[in-house]
């Protein structure tokens, strides 16, 4: 398709945009738009040009970073639910606030693997992409093929910039707090371990038990099935836990939505909280403080998470992916009380 012979010798002059345009048989302007991820050409043409540029050993470092004017905030469809909204909505608010400060126009998209993702990205005229929560590896690879700056929030994948709360510390603090209050038979209600945040919180839960020299009881660890709604899944899990002998004296839930349902199920079964069972959640959504009893939980600054994701995209840190971890704190309320109200770590 094109002649590479003059570029095979190491002493030849560096490849220019003009060389790529000649090899591809298209205009210099089209090549420039493709290399800068600008709009006005098809994804197929963009991939062709970028591929030729790589084969001709074009120095992409010569490109000036394009100013981000439009940003797409992507959320997986499985997170676009009433149960997930109290966590992701404040995060989106944080994104909107910092975008307003920098003059960036944000747009929101809920996507899934079956959606025409690349067409939607192109239709929005996106300059950069912010992905929040769980995404399949194949979907992230598809997004990376756009050659646009990408950052991840509340998940971590090798090779991508990401910002996360200290999820392992979250599980650890919740469990250590219960141990310090004298609880010993502590259950763990988990979401899908395929989610980075859930897996890290589970590690923190087990780390706290290990340090207390307690064996983790598999009977007390329940992974909630995602094929049914959260309300039903938690109700079935709590019913199982209450039939065990001896019964658990505490439950750590992977998030607050799960914990609030678990509390209602216990109360409906005549179980006193915290007298019979203490319950701790994670995320500190708005409903946690309004529950009866108010929910002990791990506070995560969700707006700061969103803002930090945008800042990652605005930084020019070369080819080295950045992983940021934000601190979390324990908020003690009546569902698992102690003398102190808030402990920071």
């Amino acid at each position: 398709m094109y002649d590479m012979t003059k570029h095979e010798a190491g002493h030849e002059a560096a490849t220019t945009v003009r060389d790529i345009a000649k090899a591809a048989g298209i205009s210099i302007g089209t090549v420039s738009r493709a290399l800068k991820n600008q709009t006005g050409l098809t994804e197929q043409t963009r991939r062709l040009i970028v591929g030729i540029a790589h084969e001709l050993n074009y120095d992409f470092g010569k490109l000036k970073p394009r100013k981000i004017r439009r940003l797409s905030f992507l959320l997986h469809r499985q997170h676009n639910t009433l149960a997930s909204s109290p966590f992701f909505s404040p995060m989106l608010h944080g994104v909107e606030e910092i975008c307003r400060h920098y003059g960036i126009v944000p747009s929101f998209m809920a996507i899934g693997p079956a959606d025409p993702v690349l067409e939607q990205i192109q239709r929005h005229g996106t300059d950069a992409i912010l992905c929040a929560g769980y995404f399949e590896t194949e979907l992230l690879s598809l997004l990376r093929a756009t050659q646009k700056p990408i950052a991840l929030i509340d998940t971590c994948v090798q090779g991508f910039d990401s910002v996360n709360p200290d999820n392992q510390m979250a599980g650890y603090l919740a469990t250590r707090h219960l141990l310090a209050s004298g609880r010993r038979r502590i259950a763990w209600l988990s979401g899908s371990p395929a989610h980075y945040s859930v897996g890290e919180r589970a590690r923190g839960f087990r780390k706290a038990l290990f340090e207390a020299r307690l064996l983790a009881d598999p009977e007390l660890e329940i992974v909630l099935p995602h094929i049914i709604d959260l309300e039903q899944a938690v109700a079935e899990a709590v019913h199982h836990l209450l039939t065990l002998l001896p019964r658990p004296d505490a439950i750590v839930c992977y998030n607050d939505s799960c914990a609030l349902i678990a509390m209602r199920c216990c109360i409906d079964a005549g179980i006193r909280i915290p007298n019979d069972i203490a319950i701790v959640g994670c995320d500190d959504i708005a409903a946690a403080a309004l529950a009866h009893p108010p929910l002990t939980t791990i506070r995560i600054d969700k707006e700061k998470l969103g803002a930090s994701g945008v800042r990652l995209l605005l930084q020019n840190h070369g080819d080295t992916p950045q992983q940021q971890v934000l601190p979390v704190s324990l908020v003690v309320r009546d569902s698992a009380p102690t003398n102190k109200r808030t402990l920071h770590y």
Side-chain angles (χ1 to χ4, degrees), residues 7 21 59 81 87 94 110 142 159 173 184 191 214 220 230 255 285 292:
H7 297 280
D59 182 8
T81 64
F87 181 80
L142 188 65
L173 290 180
R184 286 297 180 268
L214 292 176
L220 296 178
L230 184 64
N255 68 15
I285 64 175
H292 297 286

Side-chain angles (χ1 to χ4, degrees), residues 271-286:
I271 305 298
R272 298 172 301 165
I273 300 173
N275 305 63
D276 300 324
I277 289 184
I279 295 181
V280 180
C282 188
D283 294 338
D284 196 26
I285 64 175

Side-chain angles (χ1 to χ4, degrees), residues 116-139:
V117 177
L118 297 182
E119 292 179 17
Q120 294 181 49
I121 293 291
Q122 189 172 17
R123 191 179 306 122
H124 281 247
T126 298
D127 300 317
I129 300 169
L130 201 54
C131 298
Y134 170 78
F135 280 87
E136 293 88 354
T137 304
E138 296 79 9
L139 193 48

Side-chain angles (χ1 to χ4, degrees), residues 67 94-104 106 310-311 314:
K67 181 178 176 61
V95 170
E96 291 172 335
E97 285 294 312
I98 195 169
C99 282
R100 187 178 298 113
H101 175 77
Y102 286 104
I104 299 171
V310 176
R311 289 194 179 96
L314 294 172

Side-chain angles (χ1 to χ4, degrees), residues 16-63:
T16 65
V17 171
R18 186 180 299 275
D19 295 327
I20 300 171
K22 183 178 179 181
I26 52 182
S27 71
I28 293 175
T30 300
V31 171
S32 180
R33 288 199 301 275
L35 297 179
K36 294 178 181 178
N37 288 312
Q38 295 176 346
T39 58
L41 66 162
T42 67
E43 194 59 37
Q44 182 179 3
T45 300
R46 189 189 310 277
R47 290 185 182 182
L48 170 66
I49 293 169
V50 171
I52 292 175
H54 279 295
E55 292 191 47
L56 295 181
N57 295 318
Y58 178 73
D59 182 8
F60 286 86
K62 295 187 297 184
L63 291 170

Side-chain angles (χ1 to χ4, degrees), residues 64-81:
K64 293 182 179 180
R66 186 187 177 194
K67 181 178 176 61
I68 297 177
R69 299 185 185 278
R70 294 180 177 275
L71 179 146
S72 286
F73 180 88
L74 306 187
L75 188 66
H76 199 288
R77 289 195 181 280
Q78 67 176 260
H79 294 311
N80 194 29
T81 64

Side-chain angles (χ1 to χ4, degrees), residues 1 6 38 40 69 76 113 128 154 158 168 181 194 216 223 234 262 288 296 308 314 325-326 328 333 340:
M1 181 172 58
K6 76 168 187 170
Q38 295 176 346
R69 299 185 185 278
H76 199 288
D154 197 43
Q158 186 175 7
Q168 186 173 152
S181 65
V223 176
V234 175
T296 294
S308 298
L314 294 172
V325 179
L326 303 185
V328 299
R333 300 191 181 106
K340 294 183 179 180

